[in-house]
Amino acid sequence: MGTNGLKAIGVLLALRRHAKRHANWTLSIAVLSTLVIVGLLALYLIRETPEFP
């Protein structure tokens, strides 16, 4: 990988450490509930199509 690759990985890890903040729980719950609703809607639509048993 060479030294440039290792330097790039080091920079990315350093930036990630600085960018860590506390979790925004409201946003996390909103995203999770949206994903659950989309998944349930997809399952309902798949079940309603005649191609699937």
Side-chain angles (χ1 to χ4, degrees):
M1 186 168 20
T3 58
N4 286 337
L6 293 176
K7 284 181 185 178
I9 291 174
V11 168
L12 288 175
L13 289 175
L15 286 176
R16 185 176 174 202
R17 243 182 282 142
H18 276 302
K20 269 192 177 174
R21 294 183 297 195
H22 295 291
N24 185 354
W25 289 110
T26 305
L27 180 62
S28 301
I29 290 171
V31 169
L32 183 64
S33 64
T34 302
L35 289 174
V36 168
I37 289 171
V38 168
L40 289 173
L41 183 62
L43 286 174
Y44 175 76
L45 291 175
I46 287 174
R47 203 183 96 196
E48 291 295 317
T49 57
E51 292 93 25
F52 292 101

